[in-house]
Amino acid sequence: ECNSYYWPKSHLTYNNSGTYEFMVESGNPLVCDSIFTLNLTINRAPEVTSNITAPSAICAGSALNVAAPQYVMNHVEGGDAHWEYATSASGPFTPFDPSANTLGYGIYYLRFAVVNDCGQDVSNVVTFHVNDTPEANMQLAALQVCAGELLDLPEVVVNWRNDNVNDRIAQWQLSPTQNGTFVPFDPNEPMLLSYNGYWLRFMAQNGCGNDIVGPVMITVLSNEEQW
């Protein structure tokens, strides 16, 4: 029984497990009294007895490192204990396996739930952040420029998809070959004739990875002032 049991024989409600006896007097000296025995197990809803702590931010696809709280299942067979997440502090909450995280970039809400046939209990709710690789949005085509002039570069919009502004790198990069080593390049630097045939790309990087647009070839034309 859950929480309490009403025994019709005694007309009493019992709140604890134990062995109870009830005697019915026969009222006849020639007839024995009747003694009834009740072996009672009282089950209760489970209890979460400690709090959970907000985990550190993770990258998409990484396991969430979080410790389960202490809890008491209260002797009910078939009980279940699991994590749950939601996109709102008020829910709805969905079962969640922290070791097999498939959530994308965002802020989520986490709690621990224990359930048995008598009810359920849940822990406090904490937030956790899932970061992802950045997305650099632009159209980049082959470039042509006169020596000594600046490159006419397209506008770059980066969706950083992470919460740590100190963990972001956005830079243009140059390499003498398409598959060579790219080094940072200042787009405010006038182009040298020696850069003719170089390759240019844009890189956005955070703690979860990077996104690269390009590379494209640069053609640097000579002009009369350089002859």
Side-chain angles (χ1 to χ4, degrees):
E1 294 294 329
C2 292
N3 302 318
S4 65
Y5 175 72
Y6 174 75
W7 193 16
K9 290 288 185 184
S10 66
H11 302 287
L12 296 174
T13 298
Y14 301 90
N15 297 313
N16 296 296
S17 300
T19 300
Y20 300 92
E21 292 184 345
F22 179 70
M23 184 176 67
V24 178
E25 297 180 356
S26 68
N28 186 339
L30 300 178
V31 179
C32 294
D33 296 334
S34 298
I35 298 178
F36 298 90
T37 301
L38 174 67
N39 294 314
L40 179 63
T41 298
I42 293 294
N43 295 318
R44 305 188 189 283
E47 297 177 78
V48 177
T49 58
S50 65
N51 288 333
I52 61 173
T53 302
S56 300
I58 60 171
C59 293
S62 299
L64 187 66
N65 184 17
V66 62
Q70 296 178 342
Y71 62 91
V72 179
M73 192 57 74
N74 283 332
H75 309 295
V76 178
E77 295 183 1
D80 177 56
H82 60 267
W83 292 98
E84 297 179 337
Y85 88 96
T87 56
S88 167
S90 58
F93 282 82
T94 302
F96 171 66
D97 181 358
S99 66
N101 167 48
T102 58
L103 299 175
Y105 170 65
I107 300 175
Y108 299 92
Y109 298 83
L110 183 72
R111 73 183 188 186
F112 192 82
V114 285
V115 183
N116 66 24
D117 289 339
C118 291
Q120 75 165 3
D121 193 21
V122 295
S123 72
N124 58 308
V125 176
V126 298
T127 60
F128 70 99
H129 295 235
V130 176
N131 296 320
D132 209 338
T133 55
E135 295 177 335
N137 300 303
M138 79 166 88
Q139 296 295 323
L140 187 61
L143 297 165
Q144 181 173 293
V145 63
C146 292
E149 295 182 355
L150 301 180
L151 288 172
D152 183 15
L153 297 174
E155 180 183 0
V156 183
V157 177
V158 178
N159 180 10
W160 285 106
R161 302 200 299 178
N162 79 326
D163 301 305
N164 184 359
V165 296
N166 297 318
D167 192 22
R168 300 174 179 177
I169 298 174
Q171 61 183 210
W172 292 95
Q173 298 176 333
L174 273 182
S175 172
T177 61
Q178 183 176 6
N179 299 314
T181 300
F182 283 79
V183 297
F185 167 71
D186 182 359
N188 294 312
E189 173 186 335
M191 293 301 296
L192 302 176
L193 189 60
S194 59
Y195 287 156
N196 183 47
Y198 269 52
W199 293 80
L200 178 76
R201 72 182 190 184
F202 179 84
M203 182 193 73
Q205 178 177 299
N206 64 24
C208 292
N210 61 48
D211 189 23
I212 293 174
V213 180
V216 297
M217 180 179 283
I218 303 172
T219 299
V220 183
L221 304 174
S222 62
N223 54 46
E224 294 180 354
E225 294 180 356
Q226 292 177 307
W227 285 99

